Amino acid sequence: MTNDHDLTRRRYMKAATASAAMAGAAGCLGGSGGGGSEGNSWRTQELATVPAASDGALYEPTEADETGETINHLTWTGYDASNVQDPFREQFSCQTQLDLFTSNPKAFNRLQSGEWQQFHQATFDMAWIPRLAEAGLIRPMSYEDWKPYTFDQYIDLFKKENGYKYAFVNEDDYTFDIDGTMYGAPQRFGWASFVVNTDNVPEDAYTSYDAAWSDEYNVGVYDLMFWGIQIIMLREGIDPFKEHTEAEVEQVKQATFELFDNAKTLLPDFASMNQAMKSGEIDIGFISGNWINGTLRRGGNLEFQAVVPDEGSVIWVETTAFVKGDQPTVSDNYLAYMQRGQNALKLSWPTSGGTNVVPHQTAWENYNDRQREVLRVDEVRDIIDRSVFYTGIPDLEKFEPIWRQAKSRL
């Protein structure tokens, strides 16, 4: 799609490329992360490509890094844990402030409305990376520079050479493209499906999402429309990630109404759903995912599983991007720190907040037996093989009224 913003962005990128070339010829590029002279620094050019210093230099502070800075990060629960943030704060003599969200659409709207000025980095589920790029809210990254800090660190499932494309954007049509421009770094991932109490629901019953439509079980619906609609579509055999016909919208509508008619309760948030599962109020939570690990499974309640039935699940990958606008001198160091294997392991098992798998090989090699069981590490490859990657619902607005109407039936 071409619009006025797109044309403006293209003109800017042409000018930025020319400016960078002139700066390189003049020998101005240097310092931590290729910061260069103050006038030509990528940090002060609103949408300039983010470079990265070679030979692991970003892992250590340099004289070019200022002290006392604050990095503002818009992200999810778990990233704010003390074991994740405190080592970086101490090593680089800076502060990090994390603003946590639970809804990709709402977080996107915040940035688009002008709040981008409050943040330096943002971590979204990967389907939003092309949209953020098209809106001119995030910066491109130099893949060759950042590869040693990011993709070289990942398990084979997340290697570019093995087909992982969900961090790369074609800047002509703003779709994922393996040959496109890097706009983010995968940080943490998992799947959306539904959660069952395996003590109460037999295995042969949860081989299909139909179990959530069955009156044999107490079902709670988590009021999270954009995930719930995707899982309903999988159950109905409809591709979530395309434009939908009137007949398909009607089919989803009927299935949604039937789900809510069968449900015992509507749960307003993640914590309420976990509590309803743990108390025995419900046998099935729709929808859910491996984000139950922190509250339920890590607490010893391994009977609760985010199962992936025959219809599959939706794979989400939290991906961190640099927000447009001025950046602190240690912003590139912060992303390199978060991507380093031993620190990714801490994010996977934080002292507070979400507990999920990460794509980093070092973490996979160092999970202990308990962590592997709680996170279901040894099942992940099979789950991914049977699932689809979240790439965004292009006509989500068609389904929002359906969800609202369904809620009114409870």
Side-chain angles (χ1 to χ4, degrees):
M1 179 174 66
T2 301
N3 52 34
D4 291 342
H5 165 77
D6 189 33
L7 293 172
T8 301
R9 173 171 167 70
R10 287 168 193 256
R11 292 190 192 105
Y12 170 81
M13 293 306 293
K14 276 189 177 181
T17 300
S19 174
M22 292 176 64
C28 292
L29 196 64
S32 175
S37 66
E38 195 61 32
N40 290 314
S41 172
W42 67 269
R43 304 179 193 282
T44 57
Q45 298 178 33
E46 191 169 88
L47 284 170
T49 298
V50 182
S54 60
D55 301 322
L58 291 181
Y59 295 138
E60 301 292 336
T62 69
E63 292 181 359
D65 296 326
E66 298 179 13
T67 59
E69 292 181 311
T70 297
I71 297 171
N72 296 306
H73 186 181
L74 180 64
T75 189
W76 308 84
T77 179
Y79 288 74
D80 58 327
S82 59
N83 67 323
V84 176
Q85 295 296 320
D86 285 352
F88 179 81
R89 292 165 177 159
E90 181 176 349
Q91 182 183 7
F92 286 86
S93 301
C94 68
Q95 293 298 316
T96 59
Q97 292 186 356
L98 289 90
D99 189 322
L100 307 182
F101 68 91
T102 58
S103 167
N104 288 286
K106 291 180 180 178
F108 176 87
N109 290 339
R110 288 178 60 187
L111 293 185
Q112 194 173 43
S113 68
E115 287 191 41
W116 62 266
Q117 299 174 75
Q118 301 176 23
F119 299 102
H120 304 114
Q121 294 183 23
T123 303
F124 279 74
D125 287 330
M126 76 290 201
W128 291 81
I129 294 298
R131 189 170 176 183
L132 288 159
E134 185 175 14
L137 292 169
I138 58 175
R139 296 165 170 266
M141 300 168 64
S142 169
Y143 172 68
E144 291 303 324
D145 284 1
W146 280 99
K147 184 172 178 283
Y149 295 99
T150 57
F151 286 87
D152 284 351
Q153 307 293 324
Y154 301 155
I155 59 174
D156 57 354
L157 293 170
F158 287 83
K159 298 281 190 180
K160 185 178 182 182
E161 57 266 32
N162 293 331
Y164 187 84
K165 65 180 181 180
Y166 303 106
F168 305 96
V169 178
N170 183 319
E171 292 178 316
D172 289 328
D173 61 6
Y174 290 95
T175 60
F176 287 119
D177 184 345
I178 196 74
D179 297 317
T181 301
M182 181 178 176
Y183 269 92
Q187 186 69 71
R188 194 171 66 170
F189 73 99
W191 60 94
S193 57
F194 65 170
V195 60
V196 303
N197 182 336
T198 59
D199 286 347
N200 297 341
V201 183
E203 184 174 356
D204 61 353
Y206 56 76
T207 57
S208 170
Y209 287 116
D210 288 349
W213 276 257
S214 170
D215 60 9
E216 293 184 38
Y217 309 107
N218 292 322
V219 177
V221 175
Y222 180 10
D223 188 11
L224 195 59
M225 183 277 299
F226 77 95
W227 280 122
I229 286 293
Q230 292 178 66
I231 302 305
I232 292 170
M233 289 186 198
L234 290 185
R235 188 238 183 186
E236 295 300 307
I238 297 171
D239 179 359
F241 311 128
K242 69 175 188 68
E243 292 283 346
H244 298 92
T245 65
E246 290 185 9
E248 288 171 330
V249 173
E250 182 62 27
Q251 183 179 345
V252 171
K253 178 180 179 179
Q254 292 306 314
T256 304
F257 284 1
E258 291 168 4
L259 171 68
F260 275 78
D261 288 347
N262 183 60
K264 179 179 181 180
T265 184
L266 179 68
L267 301 160
D269 51 43
F270 166 64
S272 299
M273 189 193 69
N274 284 348
Q275 181 56 38
M277 292 293 299
K278 194 170 183 178
S279 69
E281 179 186 357
I282 59 174
D283 306 309
I284 296 174
F286 185 100
I287 57 87
S288 186
N290 63 325
W291 54 75
I292 67 168
N293 293 335
T295 304
L296 297 178
R297 292 177 61 81
R298 189 169 170 179
N301 303 110
L302 297 176
E303 69 272 20
F304 300 114
Q305 285 192 30
V307 299
V308 178
D310 293 342
E311 299 95 334
S313 71
V314 179
I315 304 298
W316 50 266
V317 183
E318 293 168 357
T319 302
T320 300
F322 288 92
V323 177
K324 74 173 182 178
D326 289 355
Q327 293 278 334
T329 61
V330 294
S331 187
D332 48 0
N333 303 96
Y334 176 65
L335 182 59
Y337 164 86
M338 292 294 291
Q339 287 285 315
R340 203 170 191 179
Q342 59 265 43
N343 300 321
L345 178 59
K346 295 174 185 176
L347 176 63
S348 188
W349 201 261
T351 50
S352 62
T355 302
N356 297 291
V357 281
V358 293
H360 302 74
Q361 183 67 37
T362 297
W364 281 54
E365 291 172 352
N366 287 279
Y367 285 129
N368 60 37
D369 289 345
R370 177 170 174 248
Q371 290 169 335
R372 298 187 79 87
E373 183 178 30
V374 168
L375 297 169
R376 297 168 65 194
V377 171
D378 298 321
E379 301 174 56
V380 166
R381 293 177 187 274
D382 176 64
I383 288 171
I384 290 178
D385 286 344
R386 295 190 292 113
S387 301
V388 293
F389 279 84
Y390 172 43
T391 56
I393 306 173
D395 52 358
L396 184 63
E397 70 282 353
K398 294 178 182 177
F399 301 96
E400 291 170 341
I402 292 173
W403 193 266
R404 289 195 297 270
Q405 292 170 39
K407 287 198 297 183
S408 69
R409 300 166 70 97
L410 262 177

